[in-house]
Structure formats: structure tokens, C-alpha cells
Amino acid sequence: MNTATVKHVSGVPDYEICEIAPRRAAYCLLIPVINEGARILTELGRAQRAGVDKVCDIILCDGGSTDGSMNPDTLALYGVNTLLTKTGPGKQGAQLRMGIHYALKRGYEGVMTVDGNNKDSIEDVPKFIAKLKEGYDLVQGSRFVKGGHAINTPKSRYFAVRLIHAPVISLAARQWFTDTTNAYRAYSRAYLTHPEVKPLRDVFAGYELLAYLSVRATQLGLKACEVPVTRAYPATGATPTKISGFKGNSDLLKILFATLAGKYNP
């Protein structure tokens, strides 16, 4: 395993690199995680059985897990290519910036992202790669288009996405999208390196980057589409999510309308 440290890069949090295997694919899958425990290992096991680790390099973007799930020796058994561990400030947006910085430096042609809480159909990764190869710059996974499946979606989440978030994002993007809070998506290298995008900025600390990248591609005339995916919530027990409570949802709305106003445009 090769290790390295990245420090003092503008717009990128400090982070540590543990390369479990050399680069093997043209595309990579970034999975931001923090204390996902058995959920991420279950998801990685599903990915391995579906051959996902054979069509892309799986890169975990850890926010500082303390639950023992990020042991490199264990991750190697699950087909993980690289473990990145954020040591600088920030939340999900910082984890994604860390992953994007590493992916671009490593020369990947496209970057996919998916949550690490085992809710998404990670088996659908080849759909995203196919669209990137067709020339799309933003590929959004959707449980609401034909062929997609929304399983046990909390009613509050369903109506918030369908009646508020998706319409506002679509208005800003000037193209209709149906599942705009879904982090299961793909970006072309051309999109991420476009001079009028600049995703590696400290303003993207939380969920701002997901909202921004949902709209910026089509604003710049780049190609975007949706592909059907499945998102399944547990039938019982607590909902695995990092967005909860009044503050979490209030912050999400603030980000939504800031995106509409063009606040994050460079």
C-alpha cells in the first residue's frame, strides 16, 4: 500500500492517501463515509458481487470515522482501490472536494459519487459509465423516472424533493430533474475542470457542492441526463441520513435558494 499526505492546497481540505491498489480504470466511484459501520461494508460487498470494482476504481472519502470500518486490510478484501481520510475542516462537501481533487490528479476521465449508507443500487454503476462514454457531463440518478424505484421513502422526504427541491433546482438548471437531493450521480472530467465551474472552493463545506453541480452543467450548455436507480430506506428503525431535524432541513433550504440565486457561481 502506498501512502501520502496532501496539505495546504487551495480549496481542498488536508487529507491522507492510502492507495490499496494502483489505478486500474478510466472512471472512479467516490463514496463519502463517516461511521457507517456495517452499512458501508454491506454496500461494498454488493458492489463486489456485481463486479463494480472491475469497471471503476472504488475510492472511499472518509470524514474521520472512529468505528473501525476503515481498516485498509479489510477494505482491500472488499475491492476498494483507495482510502482518503480528511484531516482538514468541513463536512460532506469537503469530503467530495478531497475526492475530486485526488481523482483529477490521478487522471480519471469521469467521477461518480454515491452515499455510503447502503440505500442506493450500487449495482447500477455501469449505467452512469455508459452515459459518460456517450458524452454526457452530468448524469443524475433518479428513483422517480421510468425504471427507477423509491422504496420506503419517508413521506416528508418524498414531498420535499418532488414539490420543492426538484422544481427549484430544475428552474436554476433550465432543465427538468426529478431527484435532485440524490447524491448518486456522475460528472465528466470536462465538467469538473471547466474554467467556469471551479468545484474546489472552500465555500462548499456541506451540501452546497451537490446543489451547485446539479445546476451548473446545463447553465453552461453541457449535456445532462437522468438514469433510473433504486433508493431503499429501511422498513423499520431509524432512517440512515445525515440530514435531520429542523436545522438540517432549514440549512438545506438555504442552500437550495442560494443556488437558485447563483451565489456559488465563480
Side-chain angles (χ1 to χ4, degrees), residues 188-210:
S188 71
R189 183 180 185 88
Y191 180 26
L192 294 174
T193 58
H194 193 290
E196 294 184 52
V197 177
K198 294 182 171 58
L200 302 181
R201 288 180 279 145
D202 291 335
V203 67
F204 302 123
Y207 294 98
E208 301 90 351
L209 186 58
L210 282 179

Side-chain angles (χ1 to χ4, degrees), residues 40-61:
I40 180 59
L41 297 181
T42 300
E43 183 172 306
L44 291 171
R46 289 170 48 210
Q48 195 171 41
R49 288 191 295 275
V52 171
D53 58 325
K54 300 296 190 295
V55 297
C56 69
D57 289 345
I58 298 175
I59 299 174
L60 297 188
C61 302

Side-chain angles (χ1 to χ4, degrees), residues 34-185:
I34 183 164
N35 291 329
E36 294 294 354
R39 288 188 292 268
I40 180 59
L41 297 181
T42 300
E43 183 172 306
L44 291 171
R46 289 170 48 210
Q48 195 171 41
R49 288 191 295 275
V52 171
D53 58 325
K54 300 296 190 295
V55 297
C56 69
D57 289 345
I58 298 175
I59 299 174
L60 297 188
C61 302
D62 181 39
S65 296
T66 56
D67 61 358
S69 61
M70 294 291 104
N71 183 307
D73 292 327
T74 301
L75 297 177
L77 299 176
Y78 283 88
V80 173
N81 180 278
T82 300
L83 169 65
L84 306 178
T85 303
K86 181 177 67 65
T87 56
K91 297 183 180 180
Q92 190 211 47
Q95 289 169 256
L96 290 175
R97 283 186 285 124
M98 168 180 72
I100 290 170
H101 176 261
Y102 177 78
L104 294 177
K105 287 291 185 182
R106 214 181 192 195
Y108 291 105
E109 296 175 20
V111 173
M112 295 166 285
T113 65
V114 68
D115 286 341
N117 51 22
N118 198 39
K119 289 189 299 191
D120 297 292
S121 54
I122 198 165
E123 299 84 356
D124 286 323
V125 159
K127 295 180 182 178
F128 293 86
I129 294 176
K131 289 298 182 182
L132 287 173
K133 288 181 176 179
E134 288 175 22
Y136 285 92
D137 298 289
L138 166 64
V139 186
Q140 174 66 63
S142 175
R143 68 199 114 165
F144 301 125
V145 296
K146 184 178 180 181
H149 302 280
I151 301 173
N152 300 323
T153 306
K155 288 184 178 179
S156 60
R157 184 68 56 86
Y158 177 88
F159 288 114
V161 173
R162 300 289 275 164
L163 301 180
I164 301 174
H165 205 278
V168 173
I169 287 292
S170 298
L171 178 62
R174 305 164 198 159
Q175 179 170 320
W176 181 247
F177 293 103
T178 62
D179 200 1
T180 48
T181 61
N182 198 338
Y184 199 2
R185 49 179 70 176

